[in-house]
Amino acid sequence: MTRTLVLGGTFDPVHAGHINSACALIDLFSPCRMVLIPGRIPPHRGTPSASPEQRLKMLELATAEIPGLQCDPCELDREGPSYTFDTLRQYRDKLGRASLIFVMGSDAWVTLPAWHNWRQLCDLAHLVVMKRPGSDGLQVPEALGRWSEGKLTDSHERLADHPGGLVCHVTLPQYDVSATVVRRAIVEGDSTETLLHPDVAGYIARHQLYLDNDNHGK
Ligand code: ATP
């Protein structure tokens, strides 16, 4: 059974950190497919600068030529806040007992106790936490540490062999880039060549995105 990895995010815009990390995960968990899912209404942050349709379009451009990498607009079709719990439930219903892995950066991991139904996420999927540059000093909430203790594994095989329930921390090649840095670079007229797929950079320029962006510092 093919395993499915899901990376949710705002993708405002999708950048090299997302795509390179996704490719490294595809190599690590092969054979697998990896799905990038943009949120329509992110529950824990301000309104994104680009519209949901623009963020989806940029994801399509960035993933078009990468085997195994797809994007899914499922959260854009749903009313209300884009809860990961609802998305994973939808995937679980489709996948039966195949392995489902939800991926997040270590900055997102420490916010987990604020997520809707966070304790139930492992009933639906495994969680893979990617170390993110600059995240070393982040405090792991006590409740999260306690909850994850019995679920931790280093074994990728165990993730492949079970539908969900485990937590695995991975260190991939590090890409010190964030959407905040990209938006700030655009406002300041700095080069984004190493940060963005050329087609995404072209789309942003054509649609004049992020130019008068007062959200670039989040
Ligand atoms: P922003 O700067 O606007 O907060 P972001 O760069 O964190 O955005 P998101 O779309 O919010 O991008 O991220 C989606 C997911 O990808 C999150 O789980 C985040 O931790 C992870 N992620 C983003 N950038 C990286 C990176 N450079 N390395 C590893 N994980 C990343």
Side-chain angles (χ1 to χ4, degrees):
M1 266 187 296
T2 308
R3 54 206 89 139
T4 300
L5 288 90
V6 167
L7 176 64
T10 312
F11 301 111
D12 189 26
V14 58
H15 54 66
H18 298 128
I19 298 299
N20 292 335
S21 301
C23 290
L25 285 163
I26 289 176
D27 287 345
L28 200 60
F29 288 98
S30 174
C32 66
R33 64 172 178 143
M34 171 120 201
V35 190
L36 307 190
I37 303 184
R40 187 170 75 95
I41 305 179
H44 304 297
R45 51 185 294 155
T47 311
S49 299
S51 71
E53 292 71 24
Q54 289 170 330
R55 290 182 286 118
L56 175 64
K57 184 66 201 173
M58 290 188 276
L59 272 170
E60 286 169 353
L61 291 170
T63 56
E65 286 157 14
I66 305 177
L69 197 53
Q70 312 162 2
C71 38
D72 181 353
C74 64
E75 292 191 355
L76 306 190
D77 301 333
R78 282 206 311 262
E79 291 294 316
S82 306
Y83 291 128
T84 296
F85 177 81
D86 296 337
T87 302
L88 293 181
R89 199 165 45 181
Q90 219 172 300
Y91 268 75
R92 175 53 63 212
D93 286 349
K94 278 191 296 206
L95 290 174
R97 292 195 49 78
S99 172
L100 175 61
I101 299 171
F102 184 76
V103 178
M104 64 179 82
S106 41
D107 57 316
W109 167 246
V110 297
T111 71
L112 199 72
W115 293 27
H116 179 62
N117 285 350
W118 69 279
R119 289 174 192 276
Q120 277 77 55
L121 293 175
C122 268
D123 298 343
L124 300 168
H126 303 295
L127 302 184
V128 162
V129 184
M130 321 179 259
K131 184 171 159 53
R132 195 170 171 182
S135 64
D136 274 342
L138 289 176
Q139 196 72 34
V140 177
E142 218 179 296
L144 181 59
R146 269 200 314 273
W147 174 80
S148 61
E149 229 167 43
K151 300 177 172 58
L152 294 174
T153 183
D154 286 332
S155 160
H156 304 149
E157 289 73 34
R158 282 191 70 201
L159 268 71
D161 292 344
H162 294 82
L166 300 168
V167 175
C168 180
H169 291 264
V170 295
T171 302
L172 306 169
Q174 298 285 284
Y175 300 97
D176 194 3
V177 46
S178 68
T180 304
V181 163
V182 172
R183 296 193 297 272
R184 194 176 294 141
I186 293 169
V187 170
E188 291 174 3
D190 294 340
S191 169
T192 56
E193 203 181 322
T194 57
L195 310 178
L196 296 175
H197 188 288
D199 292 349
V200 173
Y203 182 90
I204 290 172
R206 271 198 311 287
H207 294 266
Q208 304 191 325
L209 297 179
Y210 307 118
L211 285 177
D212 56 355
N213 171 35
D214 55 10
N215 193 29
H216 54 84
K218 278 204 205 171

